[in-house]
Amino acid sequence: ATHNSPRVWFLTSALSPISVRLIRLLLTHGDYVAAGLPPSEMKDDARSSEFRDLINECKSTRKDREGWEKRIRGIKCDGRIMSSAQSALAEAIETFGRIDILLCNTSEAVVGSVEELSVNPAVLDLVNHQFEVVFFAHVNFIKAVLPVMRGKHNGHVIILTGIGGHIGTPGMPLHAAATWALEGFCDSVAYEIAPFNIKMTIVQPNKEVG
């Protein structure tokens, strides 16, 4: 949709294919993008290669890419750590002056039945990691950005989940549990932030697209 001035977006993860495609659309639209770079995803060359290609594209001399390099900023952040989420948002604000839209789109899925996921300490660590990435990291980003948005009496928080946010599927009990927790949290937060002109939107694609 058109708007009166460019928006400043903060993406909790910029490395997935859908994130890269969204960033390209936002830059084409004239918006600014603070691109979150989770350390665990940065280690995956296959996952981060498309984002690196985008950055090279932003630096190109193509006429239709003019100004892109100045409107995107990659920011390393680990949302599981509250101080890291706060620092990343502070860097985005220092760079672009504000944050209009927070897009929580970090996703990870531990696949397996309940009994398979309780057999040894290593697997239990994966289970805990699932909740840290899908639930607690996004909670930290939301908690960190709300004072900023409340201060300017404007903002929008968007959560990208999936059909697993309201329908459980075999082999995905932990992912469904973490996503349901996040959506329940956001449903409640929506009422708390409405008086401050801050919007909350949960996006549920018909399949997992992270």
Side-chain angles (χ1 to χ4, degrees):
T2 57
H3 46 68
N4 295 329
S5 62
R7 305 292 175 91
V8 178
W9 293 66
F10 187 102
L11 277 62
T12 61
S13 175
L15 300 176
S16 67
I18 192 173
S19 297
V20 173
R21 285 156 177 75
L22 174 61
I23 292 171
R24 187 174 281 107
L25 289 172
L26 296 177
L27 294 175
T28 300
H29 193 235
D31 289 350
Y32 295 80
V33 179
L37 305 174
S40 59
E41 296 185 26
M42 287 292 291
K43 296 176 183 177
D44 187 339
D45 290 337
R47 188 169 179 82
S48 59
S49 61
E50 196 169 354
F51 178 79
R52 291 197 299 270
D53 291 341
L54 172 63
I55 295 300
N56 291 330
E57 184 180 332
C58 292
K59 296 177 181 178
S60 72
T61 56
R62 288 173 51 178
K63 190 67 176 177
D64 60 346
R65 299 296 184 260
E66 188 175 351
W68 278 28
E69 187 177 7
K70 296 180 180 179
R71 288 191 281 112
I72 185 171
R73 173 75 172 240
I75 302 175
K76 293 182 179 179
C77 58
D78 187 344
R80 298 172 300 169
I81 305 169
M82 185 63 179
S83 59
S84 180
Q86 292 171 324
S87 297
L89 291 169
E91 183 176 341
I93 293 171
E94 182 179 358
T95 303
F96 298 126
R98 66 185 191 277
I99 295 174
D100 298 311
I101 302 170
L102 171 68
L103 174 61
C104 295
N105 64 323
T106 309
S107 180
E108 189 170 297
V110 176
V111 181
S113 68
V114 170
E115 291 171 280
E116 289 177 309
L117 297 175
S118 59
V119 292
N120 61 59
V123 175
L124 291 178
D125 286 342
L126 287 176
V127 171
N128 291 331
H129 181 72
Q130 171 86 108
F131 269 87
E132 288 178 355
V133 170
V134 176
F135 179 71
F136 289 109
H138 288 145
V139 168
N140 286 341
F141 275 115
I142 293 169
K143 289 169 62 178
V145 82
L146 287 184
V148 177
M149 293 182 172
R150 193 168 59 248
K152 64 190 185 75
H153 208 73
N154 184 265
H156 197 158
V157 178
I158 303 175
I159 311 296
L160 179 63
T161 58
I163 195 171
H166 70 281
I167 299 176
T169 55
M172 303 285 283
L174 270 302
H175 185 263
T179 307
W180 285 36
L182 178 61
E183 292 199 6
F185 173 83
C186 291
D187 282 344
S188 298
V189 171
Y191 291 100
E192 298 179 5
I193 62 180
F196 301 98
N197 194 36
I198 304 172
K199 299 178 177 64
M200 172 74 75
T201 300
I202 296 174
V203 181
Q204 289 184 340
N206 60 4
K207 62 179 180 178
E208 303 303 329
V209 295

